[in-house]
Amino acid sequence: MDMLSAHFVQNYDKYLRDYLKARMRGTYHNVLCRAHLRWVFLARNALSPSPSSTDLAGVAASLNSSWGANPRFNTALRTPPATFTYENPSTGDSSLQPTTLPTEANKMAPTVDTHILSELHGNLFLVKTDVFIRNFLYGQAADLDPTDEEAAPSVSNSERRARDEKLAQECLEALRSQNNNEQFQKVVKILSTDENCEMAARISPYRSNEFTKLVENIRSKRNLYHPLADLFSFINMFFRCYFNHGMTGEWSREIDRSWPFATDPRKPSENHSTFLRRRFIVSYDKEFKYSPHVSEHPKLQPNLSLVLCKKLEGEWIETDNPHWKDVKVPIEVKLSDGFDANHVCQMARYARAIRLEQFDRNFTFSILISKNKCRVFHWDASRCHVTEVDIHKNPVVFIQIIGRLASMDPQSMGYDPRFSNSGRVLSTDNPAMQTWLEVIPAMPTKFHELPSRVENEGKKPLVLDLFIDHPIFQARGFLFSRFTRVWGGREVIGTNAQKGKLRVVKQNWADADRVNEAFLYEKAKDVPNVARLMGYEGVARTVDTCSLWNDGEIVGVYRKGGAQEQPLPQFKTARNAFVLYPCDESPRAFIRVLVRMIFEEKGRSILGVRGCRELLEATKQWVIGIWGLNEKGIIHRDVSSGNLLLGHDPGSPAFIIDLGLAHWSGLPGCEEDSSTPGTDPERVAKAHHHLTGTLPFIAYELLVSMIEGESIKHEARFDVESVLWVVLYVVLREERSVRAEVTLRNLLSTEIGVVQVAKESLLSGGLEQNVRRPFVLTGRFKDLAPFLRGFASLLWSKGGTLELDDVIDLIDSSMSSLPPGSGEKGETSESKRGLASSEDQEERVDGTSHERSGNPAKKMRSGQGVRGPVPE
């Protein structure tokens, strides 16, 4: 038996390759083959406890499947292995760490939670309460700027904090004395009128060092919902009544004047005398809604919520079901004080829901509260910070936190003031409400250097009227990623947006250590067939804990199992708990920068190609563009069907978009950015050796290197090969033969080994006519068969010696032999296909994050690297 096992292990790679070819041919359902491979894996694991990088997780998992390799229309989608680095995601210095992510076909809560936990592991920091309050509740506050005579003088952050501390002390005293306190009586009177019910008996008093209604007769968490909501409402109203240095108990306009009703940006002179309100509601039994463009959204119901709403003529303007657009702070209530994985995931789900819905929000808050503890979370695009307060032992701090969250201005709550009506457009407002975006163009630097206020003074902003409810693309990240969004819009000239030109806006949270995408566009401005950048701005940064905070201000970092350090002794470890570990003195901060780019062109999807000639002409232009980028020292690294666009109008050239994952090599002869020296060891653009791209279109040689665990340098020829796979994908979508459907399904497989074997077969002669089983095209693009055969043969035979002229000559020769009107058709047959399109099946393999399109009307596949100008 040992000799037999040794034989299997020695020939492991051969058996694995046979297995993958069997998968491609659809013969893997053979019982003997299944048993054979099962024994190979058992023997391999028995003699080699640490499997090599060639052990594919998808292969092992499929051994337990009862399906055949390619049952038509029945193969469940699975996730491709993806590179995940734990050090610097932008450089690829870390070892390859394949992981799996859910797809649209199996994106169930447990799978999503697994990925959320993996992102939170090591990215959830416990911060001292005073530090959290200083940096997150007041550090990003906008100074109040009075606009009328009744408003108080402007208030600095430090003054606002001191005022809130005093208000919290007064509020606590009112709760201690209740009916014997004049402030309590006045606030309750106004609150009762506001809520149309008697509130005095519902407010929890603070006696014997505890909020009594949060402790007495509490048998389940539902017993906490209304006492907490009533207490929060009282604190909210108390801050409103006494915020303006007054003791009269009259309504203060100052606390709400930064929340005027949303108005048409074309009419800036409209009256702003009516203000929106923030209100705490019990929402555990309500179904939260999303906007129509947010597809595949999670179904979530926070127990309590701080929502934005209107009150007109004494009546609250609200719907039976809250909308995530109106949620400012989601609140989860638990009976116990524990902090396990379920609690963390719940908070993360709420943060993600707000991120998906509220496009104009840069960071968000959430609350996890129990009988004794209140935990406040601050979420941004790179990590999460949390602090915890004992409600009964530190009531003043607790009241201050709740009062501050209820009285924040939009910018302090994370809303971007560059958007008109930022944070103030309600779900009940007119759907036709326009959204304008201001961009102050700047010259892009090699890395993301944010301009100061002084530098922006006097610059004329570029204003665009965005088609906000019809995004061209929006990424579906989990927690910490780029969250790419792309909108179309018209440039605003004066106040008449209808006269402006069509533009495309791309927004994302870029890795601060990666070369600026806009810088690459600037370097490529003379390269033909590449998107043209007309404006760029770096807007904001995520929190840099290294430069802003002192040692010791971060208590520790939460991790989920597997850590070698010992947890801090004061925190108990329970099963399924997130364990707090001591943090390094200076934890390395991963910084993201919010950037916006405006492009001149607006292209068409490759799926709307009009015929064979247009597709060949576009292929020629894309290849020229890729070669031109290479001559400028830029390697694209993510050529896919979503990043190759056709010209918007007939006769206009096709072009390449999305340099978000491109590598800047700094080749001799290329101008360097003088404003950013390349000698800084922290800011040098290093070689990217990890696999990046969209799986169906990644070059064959790159797939082989990943399976074999070898490092490889991404070259321009690999991007040229990706163009072949894009063209073949378009062609195969129009085929009806079983062979074509199986080939397409294999290319779109989420098992990297299956894709690699399929590509090897096609490149090494699978498209030839003189083989035993010739690949015959009969569909709309059948006249492209000679070109595809020649392209595949060229790539397979030339390899590293491939030259641009070789490809151009082939394309010109193929175009000259096309019959008139070849492949031209009024409409595609996509709607008649039962096979899912690549917009639904493709997944990105990227060293930083993995995202998906959520636009049901126009899913431009990509993942997060997509978009400069994008199709209509």
Side-chain angles (χ1 to χ4, degrees):
M1 183 65 66
D2 290 342
M3 292 180 62
L4 184 59
S5 299
H7 168 76
F8 279 130
V9 172
Q10 292 172 1
N11 294 275
Y12 176 78
D13 292 336
K14 175 181 179 299
Y15 289 130
L16 181 61
R17 184 171 294 276
D18 291 343
Y19 155 77
L20 292 174
K21 289 182 178 179
R23 289 280 300 195
M24 187 189 71
R25 291 193 299 268
T27 58
Y28 176 61
H29 61 275
N30 182 279
V31 177
L32 180 60
C33 181
R34 286 168 53 83
H36 185 184
L37 262 295
R38 186 186 299 275
W39 178 253
V40 170
F41 272 87
L42 289 175
R44 176 83 172 199
N45 293 336
L47 297 185
S48 180
S50 300
S52 70
S53 58
T54 55
D55 292 334
L56 299 179
V59 175
S62 65
L63 293 174
N64 297 318
S65 171
S66 59
W67 286 96
N70 293 292
R72 295 180 66 183
F73 312 126
N74 288 322
T75 301
L77 295 178
R78 298 180 55 205
T79 304
T83 305
F84 210 85
T85 55
Y86 291 98
E87 296 298 330
N88 184 358
S90 70
T91 62
D93 286 346
S94 303
S95 58
L96 206 57
Q97 299 283 350
T99 187
T100 57
L101 304 177
T103 65
E104 294 179 14
N106 61 12
K107 190 181 288 184
M108 300 300 180
T111 309
V112 173
D113 287 353
T114 299
H115 188 83
I116 284 176
L117 287 176
S118 70
E119 287 199 14
L120 283 170
H121 176 82
N123 285 312
L124 177 60
F125 289 85
L126 179 64
V127 182
K128 289 184 176 180
T129 303
D130 181 69
V131 177
F132 187 95
I133 291 174
R134 182 185 74 223
N135 285 279
F136 296 126
L137 298 187
Y138 296 94
Q140 305 194 47
D143 289 348
L144 298 179
D145 184 18
T147 55
D148 56 59
E149 296 179 355
E150 299 180 13
S154 60
V155 181
S156 68
N157 297 341
S158 58
E159 291 173 333
R160 176 64 192 268
R161 183 180 179 185
R163 182 184 296 186
D164 286 354
E165 289 174 354
K166 183 179 179 181
L167 282 174
Q169 293 170 353
E170 294 175 358
C171 182
L172 179 63
E173 186 59 34
L175 291 170
R176 278 198 178 105
S177 305
Q178 288 215 339
N179 292 329
N180 296 325
N181 184 283
E182 182 181 357
Q183 288 180 309
F184 180 85
Q185 293 176 0
K186 289 185 176 181
V187 172
V188 166
K189 181 179 179 180
I190 297 176
L191 186 60
S192 299
T193 303
D194 205 46
E195 298 290 343
N196 295 321
C197 64
E198 181 57 44
M199 294 293 296
R202 296 170 55 174
I203 308 301
S204 174
Y206 185 79
R207 295 170 184 160
S208 302
N209 295 324
E210 63 183 16
F211 292 96
T212 57
K213 289 186 180 293
L214 305 185
V215 178
E216 298 173 354
N217 302 317
I218 302 298
R219 296 181 175 84
S220 70
K221 71 174 190 176
R222 288 196 177 189
N223 299 140
L224 285 169
Y225 293 164
H226 289 283
L228 281 171
D230 295 337
L231 178 60
F232 291 166
S233 298
F234 177 84
I235 296 171
N236 183 14
M237 188 61 70
F238 191 95
F239 271 60
R240 277 181 163 72
C241 291
Y242 293 99
F243 178 80
N244 198 16
H245 295 294
M247 297 297 291
T248 60
E250 298 297 331
W251 189 269
S252 172
R253 296 181 60 191
E254 182 182 357
I255 207 167
D256 281 330
R257 63 192 174 85
S258 59
W259 295 90
F261 281 16
T263 57
D264 190 332
R266 294 173 297 180
K267 303 175 182 178
S269 61
E270 284 189 352
N271 185 17
H272 290 280
S273 60
T274 312
F275 304 111
L276 299 168
R277 296 273 303 278
R278 276 84 68 222
R279 185 186 184 202
F280 290 96
I281 63 170
V282 177
S283 53
Y284 75 96
D285 57 346
K286 301 180 185 296
E287 181 180 351
F288 281 66
K289 295 181 178 179
Y290 294 81
S291 298
H293 64 268
V294 182
S295 66
E296 302 166 23
H297 47 72
K299 295 182 179 180
L300 302 171
Q301 295 173 292
N303 302 140
L304 309 177
S305 301
L306 175 63
V307 299
L308 191 67
C309 50
K310 288 180 180 179
K311 193 173 187 181
L312 296 175
E313 299 180 355
E315 296 293 332
W316 291 108
I317 308 300
E318 56 185 3
T319 60
D320 294 335
N321 297 317
H323 198 288
W324 278 106
K325 179 183 288 188
D326 305 330
V327 176
K328 304 307 168 187
V329 181
I331 304 170
E332 186 70 9
V333 180
K334 299 295 181 184
L335 192 62
S336 66
D337 298 333
F339 194 52
D340 61 21
N342 293 330
H343 296 160
V344 178
C345 275
Q346 196 70 11
M347 291 293 97
R349 292 190 206 108
Y350 296 155
R352 181 170 180 257
I354 290 176
R355 174 72 71 172
L356 291 173
E357 178 64 49
Q358 300 180 21
F359 62 89
D360 54 354
R361 198 164 185 181
N362 296 339
F363 58 85
T364 186
F365 296 95
S366 61
I367 294 177
L368 175 65
I369 192 167
S370 62
K371 291 173 61 175
N372 301 302
K373 283 193 175 183
C374 175
R375 292 182 174 91
V376 187
F377 298 77
H378 175 276
W379 306 86
D380 61 24
S382 62
R383 58 178 49 179
C384 174
H385 296 87
V386 60
T387 194
E388 56 185 40
V389 179
D390 191 296
I391 295 173
H392 307 293
K393 293 181 180 179
N394 298 294
V396 174
V397 176
F398 168 65
I399 292 172
Q400 180 186 356
I401 290 174
I402 300 302
R404 174 60 178 155
L405 289 173
S407 59
M408 278 182 168
D409 59 85
Q411 189 172 346
S412 301
M413 196 164 274
Y415 290 99
D416 191 335
R418 295 297 178 84
F419 290 96
S420 62
N421 300 314
S422 60
R424 296 183 286 110
V425 179
L426 301 180
S427 59
T428 55
D429 285 338
N430 185 350
M433 176 79 68
Q434 291 187 351
T435 298
W436 286 11
L437 172 65
E438 288 188 356
V439 176
I440 302 179
M443 177 61 67
T445 55
K446 185 175 181 180
F447 294 97
H448 302 277
E449 309 295 336
L450 300 187
S452 64
R453 290 185 179 181
V454 176
E455 292 174 328
N456 281 337
E457 287 182 0
K459 290 186 177 180
K460 183 179 180 181
L462 185 64
V463 183
L464 296 108
D465 177 15
L466 300 182
F467 310 145
I468 210 72
D469 291 327
H470 303 282
I472 297 173
F473 171 80
Q474 57 180 3
R476 289 181 55 90
F478 286 89
L479 287 177
F480 311 124
S481 57
R482 293 194 292 175
F483 291 103
T484 302
R485 282 185 167 98
V486 181
W487 299 284
R490 286 190 178 275
E491 189 173 348
V492 176
I493 302 175
T495 58
N496 190 348
Q498 299 301 318
K499 294 183 179 180
K501 294 182 179 180
L502 284 173
R503 304 298 185 195
V504 174
V505 180
K506 175 179 178 179
Q507 168 183 291
N508 66 19
W509 286 90
D511 179 354
D513 288 336
R514 177 171 281 168
V515 175
N516 187 351
E517 181 181 0
F519 170 82
L520 298 179
Y521 277 113
E522 181 66 21
K523 291 296 180 183
K525 61 184 178 182
D526 298 327
V527 177
N529 309 314
V530 176
R532 293 290 174 262
L533 181 73
M534 66 170 295
Y536 154 83
E537 182 182 15
V539 183
R541 296 169 69 93
T542 56
V543 177
D544 185 352
T545 55
C546 293
S547 60
L548 296 180
W549 297 359
N550 300 319
D551 292 342
E553 292 185 334
I554 298 179
V555 179
V557 56
Y558 284 100
R559 294 194 177 114
K560 181 70 171 71
Q564 297 178 355
E565 304 96 327
Q566 292 298 317
L568 295 177
Q570 65 267 35
F571 294 92
K572 297 180 180 179
T573 59
R575 186 182 67 84
N576 202 34
F578 247 61
V579 183
L580 185 66
Y581 291 86
C583 195
D584 298 334
E585 291 185 0
S586 298
R588 186 181 186 279
F590 177 64
I591 308 300
R592 290 189 181 275
V593 179
L594 178 62
V595 297
R596 295 194 180 105
M597 291 171 283
I598 302 175
F599 295 90
E600 297 178 356
E601 302 96 332
K602 188 171 185 180
R604 286 185 294 124
S605 167
I606 190 175
L607 304 182
V609 63
R610 297 185 177 94
C612 294
R613 185 169 298 278
E614 184 183 35
L615 186 54
L616 282 179
E617 289 175 348
T619 301
K620 180 178 179 179
Q621 291 159 354
W622 293 324
V623 171
I624 291 174
I626 290 171
W627 222 266
L629 287 173
N630 180 53
E631 291 177 351
K632 293 289 185 178
I634 301 170
I635 304 296
H636 192 286
R637 302 199 317 143
D638 188 25
V639 174
S640 67
S641 62
N643 294 339
L644 300 179
L645 298 185
L646 303 171
H648 182 266
D649 302 313
S652 58
F655 55 94
I656 303 168
I657 64 172
D658 191 3
L659 301 181
L661 296 178
H663 173 56
W664 167 252
S665 64
L667 293 176
C670 295
E671 297 180 1
E672 292 290 345
D673 179 24
S674 59
S675 65
T676 306
T679 56
D680 185 348
E682 296 297 326
R683 307 302 296 274
V684 173
K686 300 178 182 178
H688 295 263
H689 295 304
H690 56 284
L691 183 62
T692 300
T694 306
L695 187 57
F697 310 116
I698 294 176
Y700 163 77
E701 202 170 324
L702 295 176
L703 297 180
V704 172
S705 70
M706 183 176 183
I707 292 175
E708 296 180 353
E710 296 178 355
S711 177
I712 188 172
K713 182 179 180 181
H714 198 123
E715 301 174 3
R717 62 188 177 95
F718 297 141
D719 288 340
V720 173
E721 182 182 330
S722 295
V723 174
L724 167 65
W725 302 123
V726 171
V727 174
L728 183 61
Y729 159 69
V730 174
V731 170
L732 291 179
R733 284 165 60 94
E734 299 294 329
E735 293 295 314
R736 291 294 172 270
S737 67
V738 174
R739 176 100 183 268
E741 289 186 351
V742 170
T743 301
L744 180 59
R745 190 176 292 277
N746 284 328
L747 290 175
L748 297 179
S749 172
T750 55
E751 294 184 21
I752 194 169
V754 173
V755 178
Q756 180 255 322
V757 172
K759 290 182 176 181
E760 179 183 3
S761 174
L762 293 169
L763 288 172
S764 59
L767 293 172
E768 297 294 338
Q769 290 184 326
N770 56 353
V771 294
R772 183 177 179 182
R773 295 180 60 197
F775 199 109
V776 180
L777 297 180
T778 59
R780 177 184 169 195
F781 299 109
K782 61 183 179 181
D783 294 330
L784 292 182
F787 166 72
L788 293 173
R789 287 194 296 269
F791 202 169
S793 176
L794 194 64
L795 293 168
W796 187 256
S797 61
K798 289 281 187 177
T801 63
L802 182 68
E803 296 291 340
L804 175 62
D805 290 342
D806 298 331
V807 183
I808 299 303
D809 290 344
L810 173 65
I811 295 174
D812 290 340
S813 173
S814 300
M815 280 197 294
S816 64
S817 61
L818 283 177
S822 176
E824 295 181 2
K825 190 174 181 180
E827 70 178 294
T828 64
S829 55
E830 175 62 24
S831 59
K832 301 178 182 179
R833 293 180 61 87
L835 213 60
S837 67
S838 76
E839 286 83 354
D840 298 320
Q841 294 192 35
E842 297 164 15
E843 296 198 9
R844 174 175 305 283
V845 181
D846 176 9
T848 54
S849 66
H850 318 266
E851 303 184 358
R852 307 182 54 77
S853 169
N855 184 354
K858 233 171 281 305
K859 290 185 179 179
M860 284 314 301
R861 161 55 207 121
S862 63
Q864 64 174 18
V866 180
R867 302 16 329 143
V870 276
E872 293 182 290

